[in-house]
Amino acid sequence: MNLIVAKEHFSENVVMLEIEAPRIAKSRRAGHFVIVRVGEKGERIPLTIAGSNLEKGTITLVAQRVGVSSSKLTDLNVGDYVTDVVGPLGQATKIEKQEGAVLCCGGGVGVAPLLPIIQAHKAAGNRVISVLAARTKDLIILEDEVRKSSDEVIIMTDDGSYGEKGVVTVGMEKAIESEKISEAVVIGPPIMMKFAALCTKKYNVPTVVSLNTVMVDGTGMCGACRVTVGGKTKFVCVDGPEFDAHQVDFDEMLKRMGGYKAQEAEAFERYKACK
Amino acid sequence: MDNSISRDAAWREEIRKSMSPKDRMAIERVKMTEVEPNIRNKSYIEVNQGLTAEQALLEAKRCLDCPNPACMTGCPVEINIPTFIKNIERGEILEAARVIKNTSTLPAVCGRVCPQEKQCESKCIHTKTGKPAVAIGYLERFTADYERNSGKMAIPEVAPANGKKVAVVGSGPAGLTCAGEMAKLGYDVTVFEALHEIGGVLKYGIPEFRLPNSIVEVEIDNLRKMGVKFEPDFIVGKTATMNELREEGFKAFFVASGAGLPRFMGIPGENAIGIMSSNEYLTRVNLMHAADQEFDTPVFFGKNVVVVGGGNTAMDSVRTAKRLGADHVYLVYRRSMDEMPARKEEIKHAQEEGIEFMLLHNPIEYIADEKGHVKQVILQVMELGEPDERGRRSPVAVEGKTVTLDTDMVVVSVGVSPNPLIPNAHPDLKTTQKGTLEATDELQTTVEDVFAGGDIVRGGATVILAMGDGRKAAANMHKYLQSK
């Protein structure tokens, strides 16, 4: 049982929760995720850690309401408990001093797990260019925090309501064409990561993506999260969640992530009807 | 009452003399009452219904109370088998339970899932004369169930607290056994479990119809009463390392983290939607209650289900799929019935429940529909070739002969590999080529205060062997801590 000590709405459906988890706060590194479960009948869902506060012994999670489980989590309030929080899981991000700049690209709520990676690269002395992309202005999150640890920030919105109009790759190309980029890190919806990977491949920029596939246990036991990377089957939970973007079979991953779509949609309708 | 466990005790001699060995040998082995196949394959009800008191008493009489009981040499946790059985015969069932619990932490579990036919019962004197063994497993279960239902469940005696903290990593059969043994010796035991529920494979793996969760829960509660602490949602090596726990005062560790990683076959199309490991399938259904609409975790309800493999987990998977409403459930195994590693009882139950066995077949490719969901499997027809080093005949492909089967769900149950999480986080723990933890005969790893047992050392075995390891590791850990 983990107490929620702070909650903030980034937008109607995107919520930040600060949760007591002193051990995880201490042992987590950039790139790690946790598995959370809300209620005794709840599902185990993976969420990448967006930050931690060692003094308070808390971790920060950002979740977007898309179905039953994410709604149950985002409906919780300060003073409520998350039934289970376990982690930190997965491999931490490899942070090395780079010659050129590091291009950090976040789409939608993907900016939340990207933030610790931006901060870690900055702390390692790297020049950081961040690209934040979303459908519209309201969905751009954590901009101030990203700015604090970035040398340059490019904002892209699909509708042009904020920053520049266009998809994430437009901003990425602008950065790649203007200076030497040693590495790109991309976190966001699978389809965004797929096109971002195609973009950096064109320019031969080594790229890392953080995958958020379906999981049950999150410790390597079930294999629900498997993806094909470089022709080999990998488990996102123990081998990842970060992989070489140019090796990931995104089409297979997109299909697999939709495996339970029909059941999930049905369950969400029932959930909303009950509320 | 005389509660001596000596074979020479007066009560025991009296019981022995009350019936001649010849008469004892003439009694037929008891038959377990089972729920009708066509009823049970639509429900989670426990298949084996247990023995009645009359049945148990009669079966206990079959035991000759041998002077050198061979059955005990077949028991990894060294249960004093004749003593508990003779206590049943004299009607002292609670005393029988006490005898079992002297050495076994989980009697109600073992009485259900232990492969007694390969352990104690295989050594029974009756088998030497070509007769079926005394039903030791059934009697163990009867005793444990009787005690539980009596409301007079005894908690094993615990030595005065010695204030020494020890950690058990993993709450499956090995971990629970070690925890119980260490608690009895007076240690301050904490069991760390990665999942949100305690019990490991007993909860996520073995289905309700073979081992009801409520029974596992009672055994765990007993450990709690003995002072064992449980920390779910805690991954040693991730949430905190062993070094951090050492700093918090833990003096020794028992690693029993199980054989976590499911194996896949690496054949084309295996990552299609609807193809999953038996670990995933059983965890969704058993631990997450996915088949119950009240719970949030989803699961596929396949209509034509293919399960690949021939072990107990494969049997659990086929029988679960049948219970979730499949029209056809195929068990695809590359060898023949004789080589199947599953317990005979499980195979028999699966057959009775309408599982269709496709022996000497092996999947070589899966075909998916336009959405990426599996729709067909291509099976290679096999035949048996030469025996391998273990004497098991190897399957060989029959050139050019394949069968294509329509399917909408596949469960791959071809074994597991050790979970690398613990060794990865603690590089000083050496592993074997197979990835299992290196351990001595005393179950000590390459780090002196770390012991290990169960599947993380064995690479995939049974509940009872894991329990045997837990018991042995506890004895050696105790010896180690006393020498400090």
Side-chain angles (χ1 to χ4, degrees):
Chain A
M1 295 286 269
N2 301 64
L3 181 70
I4 296 174
V5 297
K7 178 180 182 178
E8 189 184 332
H9 271 275
F10 285 162
S11 68
E12 195 195 336
N13 288 321
V14 178
V15 167
M16 185 279 290
L17 296 170
E18 191 180 345
I19 301 168
E20 264 182 11
R23 286 200 188 260
I24 302 173
K26 193 176 153 205
S27 47
R28 71 101 203 176
R29 299 286 171 269
H32 280 147
F33 68 94
V34 289
I35 293 258
V36 302
R37 191 175 73 116
V38 180
E40 288 307 324
K41 292 176 180 172
E43 184 181 11
R44 294 170 65 95
I45 53 169
L47 282 171
T48 309
I49 303 167
S52 67
N53 183 323
L54 273 179
E55 273 165 41
K56 288 162 76 185
T58 58
I59 58 168
T60 308
L61 301 176
V62 176
Q64 181 171 22
R65 170 196 290 269
V66 286
V68 174
S69 298
S70 53
S71 294
K72 281 187 175 175
L73 181 67
T74 52
D75 285 348
L76 294 178
N77 291 305
V78 172
D80 290 341
Y81 286 86
V82 181
T83 316
D84 298 279
V85 179
V86 61
L89 294 159
Q91 306 289 331
T93 311
K94 282 197 189 72
I95 307 282
E96 284 160 353
K97 176 77 180 98
Q98 301 285 2
E99 222 178 279
V102 178
L103 182 63
C104 296
C105 315
V109 281
V111 176
L114 186 67
L115 179 62
I117 299 173
I118 292 173
Q119 290 164 338
H121 273 296
K122 192 69 205 157
N126 286 324
R127 176 173 157 78
V128 177
I129 303 174
S130 297
V131 182
L132 307 186
R135 276 206 323 277
T136 185
K137 185 184 176 193
D138 287 350
L139 301 177
I140 295 285
I141 62 168
L142 295 164
E143 185 189 340
D144 292 345
E145 288 81 354
V146 168
R147 281 194 189 280
K148 259 184 227 161
S149 298
S150 306
D151 296 278
E152 208 178 302
V153 177
I154 300 169
I155 302 216
M156 304 294 307
T157 50
D158 292 0
D159 62 1
S161 55
Y162 189 46
E164 288 177 50
K165 184 175 161 65
V167 292
V168 69
T169 46
V170 175
M172 291 172 70
E173 287 196 317
K174 196 175 135 192
I176 294 169
E177 278 167 3
S178 63
E179 67 178 286
K180 179 175 164 56
I181 305 289
S182 291
E183 188 190 15
V185 183
V186 183
I187 309 181
I191 195 78
M192 170 253 182
M193 291 195 281
K194 175 183 167 176
F195 284 101
L198 287 172
C199 166
T200 58
K201 189 158 190 198
K202 199 166 71 186
Y203 293 95
N204 270 320
V205 175
T207 303
V208 167
V209 284
S210 176
L211 306 181
N212 190 0
T213 51
V214 172
M215 289 184 195
V216 183
D217 65 292
T219 62
M221 199 184 83
C222 80
C225 63
R226 62 197 197 276
V227 288
T228 302
V229 181
K232 286 197 178 116
T233 294
K234 296 280 180 188
F235 286 9
V236 172
C237 64
V238 286
D239 299 319
E242 293 175 13
F243 293 99
D244 178 347
H246 301 152
Q247 301 287 324
V248 173
D249 183 342
F250 283 105
D251 292 335
E252 179 192 274
M253 185 182 104
L254 275 157
K255 279 183 183 163
R256 284 186 63 79
M257 287 182 76
Y260 289 99
K261 219 177 210 164
Q263 298 184 36
E264 280 162 357
E266 209 181 285
F268 199 28
E269 285 312 310
R270 277 200 307 270
Y271 177 79
K272 286 189 285 194
C274 287
K275 289 287 281 188
Chain B
M1 175 188 58
D2 178 5
N3 57 9
S4 161
I5 60 163
S6 164
R7 187 173 179 272
D8 302 329
W11 72 266
R12 190 87 163 256
E13 271 184 55
E14 200 178 302
I15 287 277
R16 251 194 325 271
K17 282 184 188 147
S18 68
M19 193 179 213
S20 73
K22 199 175 155 222
D23 287 346
R24 291 181 187 274
M25 297 287 281
I27 305 169
E28 294 257 328
R29 178 177 156 125
V30 67
K31 285 217 166 45
M32 174 61 79
T33 308
E34 297 167 353
V35 180
E36 282 292 314
N38 272 323
I39 292 170
R40 73 192 193 220
N41 68 10
K42 295 169 193 69
S43 103
Y44 290 135
I45 188 168
E46 198 178 1
V47 172
N48 285 350
Q49 291 287 289
L51 303 185
T52 62
E54 293 74 29
Q55 283 176 312
L57 176 66
L58 191 61
E59 185 64 22
K61 287 185 175 164
R62 293 186 67 226
C63 172
L64 302 186
D65 198 9
C66 308
N68 292 308
C71 51
M72 282 178 69
T73 64
C75 177
V77 296
E78 302 158 304
I79 292 174
N80 192 329
I81 294 166
T83 305
F84 101 76
I85 293 181
K86 290 301 119 181
N87 268 298
I88 297 176
E89 191 175 338
R90 70 162 164 163
E92 297 292 346
I93 319 292
L94 292 177
E95 184 57 19
R98 199 185 62 83
V99 171
I100 295 176
K101 290 204 296 193
N102 269 338
T103 62
S104 172
T105 317
L106 312 167
V109 172
C110 286
R112 287 172 165 80
V113 302
C114 180
Q116 291 94 6
E117 68 281 1
K118 286 184 189 159
Q119 305 283 349
C120 51
E121 292 182 18
S122 74
K123 313 267 171 153
C124 176
I125 188 86
H126 284 263
T127 62
K128 307 279 188 291
T129 63
K131 292 206 164 143
V134 172
I136 302 168
Y138 294 170
L139 290 175
E140 181 186 22
R141 171 181 163 166
F142 167 78
T143 307
D145 287 357
Y146 178 94
E147 191 203 25
R148 191 177 60 254
N149 297 328
S150 73
K152 291 180 210 147
M153 206 148 172
I155 304 303
E157 222 172 280
V158 173
N162 62 21
K164 284 187 189 160
K165 273 164 79 169
V166 296
V168 172
V169 183
S171 68
L176 293 179
T177 301
C178 181
E181 294 299 320
M182 292 307 278
K184 278 188 209 166
L185 293 165
Y187 289 93
D188 178 359
V189 186
T190 306
V191 179
F192 296 98
E193 166 57 49
L195 291 170
H196 57 270
E197 273 200 38
I198 303 301
V201 71
L202 307 174
K203 283 274 183 67
Y204 75 72
I206 303 175
E208 196 70 11
F209 54 84
R210 223 152 57 80
L211 177 63
N213 276 350
S214 56
I215 292 196
V216 183
E217 222 28 81
V218 171
E219 311 258 28
I220 292 165
D221 256 349
N222 283 338
L223 289 169
R224 278 201 188 94
K225 285 176 191 153
M226 290 165 68
V228 175
K229 295 170 206 158
F230 291 97
E231 284 249 23
D233 291 329
F234 195 117
I235 304 173
V236 173
K238 289 281 185 186
T239 310
T241 60
M242 286 192 210
N243 261 342
E244 289 168 297
L245 293 173
R246 283 186 188 103
E247 280 166 27
E248 291 173 30
F250 286 94
K251 301 288 180 216
F253 297 82
F254 177 58
V255 178
S257 50
L261 239 38
R263 265 188 228 139
F264 287 92
M265 295 174 66
I267 57 176
E270 207 176 20
N271 288 347
I273 301 166
I275 303 177
M276 70 201 92
S277 71
S278 47
N279 266 1
E280 177 181 349
Y281 185 52
L282 295 173
T283 301
R284 284 179 185 274
V285 177
N286 299 337
L287 180 76
M288 305 309 295
H289 307 280
D292 182 343
Q293 217 190 60
E294 293 273 297
F295 287 74
D296 297 341
T297 304
V299 69
F300 293 118
F301 292 87
K303 286 293 159 201
N304 290 297
V305 178
V306 169
V307 174
V308 186
N312 287 324
T313 315
M315 295 304 150
D316 287 343
S317 301
V318 287
R319 297 172 72 195
T320 299
K322 191 75 191 176
R323 282 161 173 77
L324 297 195
D327 296 328
H328 293 280
V329 183
Y330 303 96
L331 183 103
V332 172
Y333 180 53
R334 63 192 178 131
R335 303 182 205 239
S336 76
M337 196 68 97
D338 287 344
E339 291 81 22
M340 227 179 243
R343 287 184 74 186
K344 292 278 173 293
E345 185 185 35
E346 307 307 327
I347 296 170
K348 178 186 98 124
H349 282 163
Q351 284 175 318
E352 289 169 353
E353 288 167 15
I355 306 304
E356 294 157 63
F357 281 55
M358 293 192 73
L359 304 169
L360 293 164
H361 284 77
N362 197 33
I364 48 171
E365 185 177 353
Y366 296 102
I367 298 165
D369 64 16
E370 67 287 350
K371 284 182 178 155
H373 199 111
V374 65
K375 65 168 185 183
Q376 280 177 327
V377 55
I378 302 175
L379 303 172
Q380 170 70 55
V381 176
M382 313 294 284
E383 62 186 356
L384 289 179
E386 293 301 308
D388 61 14
E389 63 272 20
R390 284 192 290 173
R392 206 157 67 143
R393 293 182 69 189
S394 312
V396 186
V398 180
E399 205 62 47
K401 233 179 141 184
T402 63
V403 179
T404 302
L405 203 61
D406 287 341
T407 179
D408 54 353
M409 188 182 116
V410 177
V411 179
V412 182
S413 186
V414 295
V416 284
S417 307
N419 195 321
L421 212 147
I422 299 251
N424 282 352
H426 305 94
D428 44 351
L429 285 175
K430 285 213 186 96
T431 52
T432 64
Q433 265 186 337
K434 284 186 193 157
T436 52
L437 281 183
E438 240 178 59
T440 61
D441 285 348
E442 287 72 44
L443 297 176
Q444 193 167 28
T445 66
T446 48
V447 177
E448 69 164 7
D449 64 347
V450 181
F451 295 77
D455 282 359
I456 188 69
V457 170
R458 294 174 176 272
T462 59
V463 167
I464 191 68
L465 290 173
M467 288 180 57
D469 286 356
R471 186 170 152 75
K472 189 170 167 188
N476 289 313
M477 187 188 274
H478 178 51
K479 227 184 266 173
Y480 162 78
L481 287 169
Q482 279 186 315
S483 73
K484 284 264 122 185

